């Protein structure tokens, strides 16, 4: 099983980035997929979750209206479009797969290694 995030980098406040997570080794389309993020000294926090079909989506309040999660099951890829980025969005972003619908960090079956997003002028 592999989850490989990409698309992170340095962006100015107000800018946009699109993260991708390429999945392999499991049946991607039947898994709920999640984005989490973590900054040094803080616990990893939930960002967003999407069901296997893409019909059920949820966001953390801190990113609602600015971030959009999506998936392409034909390409086994998860996305996170991040707009209106703020310095407080700076973190390592992780994708994670869960067979169930829980967004609890402890419920995740598989994790990627993360991609760093830095929002700074």
């Amino acid at each position: 099983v592999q989850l490989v995030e990409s698309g992170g980098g340095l962006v100015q406040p107000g800018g946009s980035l699109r993260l991708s997570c390429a999945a392999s080794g499991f049946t991607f389309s039947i898994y709920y997929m999640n984005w989490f993020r973590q900054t040094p000294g803080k616990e990893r926090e939930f960002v967003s979750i999407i069901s296997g079909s893409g019909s059920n989506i949820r966001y953390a309040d801190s990113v609602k209206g600015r971030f959009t999660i999506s998936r392409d099951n034909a390409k086994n890829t998860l996305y996170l479009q991040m707009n209106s980025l703020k310095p407080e969005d700076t973190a390592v972003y992780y994708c994670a797969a869960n067979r169930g619908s829980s967004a609890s960090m402890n419920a995740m079956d598989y994790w990627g290694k993360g991609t760093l997003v830095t929002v700074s002028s």
Side-chain angles (χ1 to χ4, degrees):
V1 171
Q2 271 198 315
L3 292 172
V4 181
E5 302 93 337
S6 62
L10 174 64
V11 62
Q12 291 188 340
S16 298
L17 277 178
R18 188 196 197 201
L19 305 184
S20 299
C21 171
S24 61
F26 65 102
T27 307
F28 179 75
S29 61
I30 65 173
Y31 275 72
Y32 283 78
M33 295 299 298
N34 303 259
W35 287 102
F36 289 81
R37 66 186 182 185
Q38 188 171 23
T39 54
K42 289 189 175 182
E43 284 194 357
R44 196 168 295 188
E45 65 172 357
F46 166 77
V47 174
S48 184
I49 184 172
I50 185 169
S51 61
S53 66
S55 59
N56 292 316
I57 288 174
R58 188 156 51 90
Y59 298 97
D61 287 343
S62 58
V63 307
K64 204 173 293 183
R66 299 187 298 121
F67 290 11
T68 303
I69 191 172
S70 62
R71 64 192 297 161
D72 185 336
N73 287 342
K75 295 182 179 180
N76 285 358
T77 303
L78 173 72
Y79 303 101
L80 186 68
Q81 178 67 43
M82 306 187 295
N83 299 329
S84 302
L85 282 161
K86 305 174 182 180
E88 52 263 43
D89 294 318
T90 295
V92 177
Y93 283 73
Y94 299 88
C95 66
N98 181 13
R99 186 66 182 88
S101 61
S102 172
S104 168
M105 193 172 63
N106 295 329
M108 298 300 119
D109 295 313
Y110 311 121
W111 287 93
K113 293 185 178 180
T115 185
L116 177 62
V117 172
T118 303
V119 184
S120 175
S121 55

